[in-house]
Structures are given as C-alpha cells and as structure tokens.
Amino acid sequence: MSPLRPCFATLLLAAVIRAAVPVDLTGVAADSAVRISHNASAQNVTFTWPADDTGALASATLNLAPDKPLIASLTWQATAGAARQIVAENLTPLTVLTARVRDLNRNGWMVFFDKVHTRPSQRFPAKLVPMAVRATASGTRARISIEGLSAGSFTGRYEFTFFAGSPLVLAEAVLTTTQENRAILYDAGLVAPLGRARSYAWIDPRQGPQSAPADTPGGVRAARHRVAALELPGGNVTVFPPPHRYLY
C-alpha cells in the first residue's frame, strides 16, 4: 500500500479552519448605557444593560461561530450585588419566508386585490453564516448587525437592538432580493434545545390563558396580541411582533 501523501493532511486542515468573523466596534460611543464586549477567542459578543429603574441588569451573549446557536445566553441580575441567573441558553432565531409573485400588469404596485394567495409559493428557511459584524451604540440604545443571512434569493443580516431601562430586545431579519414582483409572508420565532423548555403559554381570545408541554406537536394557535411565552428552568422568554406596520 502506498503511503499517504503529506499534502492530504494539509488540505484537510485548510478545509476546517475558518477565519474569525470581523467585529467593528468603532460605532460604540463612550456615553452608551449598554456595555459591549467582544471575546475574539470565544467568537462571541456580549451586551449588558440596565433593564429597569431598580438596578436590574440584563445581558445577552451572541455566538459568531456558524455551527453554534446564535443566542448563547440570556441572563438576569436582580441587583448589582446579586448572582447572575441564566434565563436561557442556546436559542436559535427562526425566520421562514413564503414567497409568491405579484401581478403588476393592471395597476403596478397600487393594485390591492391581487389574490397573491392563489398562486404557487415557495418557502425558504433563513440560514445565518456570520460574515461580518458591526455594533453601534449611543445613549440608551445599542444595535448589532450580523451579515450573512440568506433565504432563497433573499440576502441580508440579523439585527438585535437593546434598550437601556427595558428588558425588551428587538430582533429583526433584514432581507432584500433582486428578483422583481416578490410578495412575502414571514414566520418568526425562537428555537430552544430539545428537552430544555418545560412548556409554552399563550392567551386564547375565547378561552383565556392556555399552556401546553414544550414537546406538544406544532400547530396554529390563536393568541391574543400574538404573544407566546416559553418556560425554561431559569425563567421565561416571551416573543411577540412589534406594533403592526403595513408595508405595501
């Protein structure tokens, strides 16, 4: 048997090495109430901010490695001297686009009753491979943009915005396409590791508060205010869309 060529090991090593994702923090102002730290060796970025007016601190650590869940951890510290509690770990934002084609022959984009739902559609789960990161912060607000998001012909980035004085975090998938006449619907949420979540809860418009074990098969739930809460060992994570904005 012929010996292995030395170049084989070299090529294999080159295939598994990935350059660190560049992180730009030049847009972080000195007056920012949201503290931002970048751990280059661990490939993550951590945001820490005052979450209310009583001294509580919240933090979020985001993974930049493509093979790890994007949200490494969400933590809560009731007071400056209290122990930091891990609320959630290893969460993955979920975005799925349903795309159809608009008929612009009648009145361009001004046509209202287009019946887009009667035409064939395609569904594209969004996938993130971090390529570049930029953080900006000033005063009570900070934002991180993670380039490398794609869903079919749509490309763009994930953005997270943190607000000093509030535990709310705004998560957005910012996507665009060069294809013409696209009409989209989107599904968005968070995916927790199997076995970590205990249950989820929502308010049914007719039957009031409801809950179900986390491993209940998926389905459509009518939820008041489009709010759902996930119960985890360290606390709850609640997701809901921003106030309705009509994009036409």
Side-chain angles (χ1 to χ4, degrees):
M1 180 179 295
S2 301
L4 292 177
R5 296 180 180 179
C7 65
F8 177 79
T10 303
L11 291 174
L12 179 61
L13 181 62
V16 298
I17 290 179
R18 178 181 173 86
V21 177
V23 177
D24 181 2
L25 300 179
T26 58
V28 178
D31 68 343
S32 173
V34 182
R35 301 197 305 272
I36 305 173
S37 61
H38 172 219
N39 187 327
S41 60
Q43 296 190 68
N44 63 41
V45 179
T46 298
F47 293 76
T48 304
W49 69 98
D52 60 19
D53 56 2
T54 67
L57 292 175
S59 72
T61 298
L62 304 180
N63 279 317
L64 302 181
D67 57 343
K68 294 182 179 180
L70 180 56
I71 303 175
S73 67
L74 299 174
T75 70
W76 183 266
Q77 191 174 4
T79 62
R84 182 168 295 179
Q85 182 177 0
I86 297 176
V87 177
E89 293 181 292
N90 298 324
L91 300 178
T92 301
L94 173 69
T95 301
V96 180
L97 300 186
T98 300
R100 290 183 171 92
V101 177
R102 295 292 305 268
D103 180 5
L104 306 184
N105 291 327
R106 288 187 294 166
N107 195 24
W109 283 101
M110 297 308 296
V111 61
F112 189 80
F113 297 105
D114 191 18
K115 297 183 180 180
V116 177
H117 64 283
T118 64
R119 304 188 188 110
S121 65
Q122 293 178 290
R123 286 175 63 83
F124 303 108
K127 180 181 180 181
L128 178 67
V129 179
M131 303 298 293
V133 174
R134 183 172 186 267
T136 58
S138 179
T140 60
R141 182 173 298 191
R143 174 175 293 168
I144 183 171
S145 299
I146 307 173
E147 299 286 348
L149 186 64
S150 62
S153 67
F154 294 80
T155 58
R157 62 192 181 274
Y158 264 129
E159 290 189 350
F160 294 87
T161 306
F162 306 90
F163 309 91
S166 171
L168 297 179
V169 177
L170 176 61
E172 299 173 287
V174 183
L175 293 161
T176 186
T177 181
T178 58
Q179 292 184 344
E180 299 292 337
N181 309 349
R182 297 293 101 176
I184 65 167
L185 295 175
Y186 70 89
D187 297 287
L190 288 174
V191 177
L194 185 65
R196 288 292 296 167
R198 295 173 177 172
S199 64
Y200 63 95
W202 71 100
I203 300 177
D204 187 278
R206 296 184 177 180
Q207 301 179 16
Q210 305 288 312
S211 65
D215 58 357
T216 301
V220 177
R221 304 282 188 268
R224 182 176 296 172
H225 307 306
R226 298 179 289 174
V227 176
L230 186 66
E231 181 187 8
L232 297 154
N236 297 334
V237 176
T238 302
V239 295
F240 55 91
H244 183 64
R245 290 177 291 182
Y246 183 66
L247 303 179
Y248 188 73

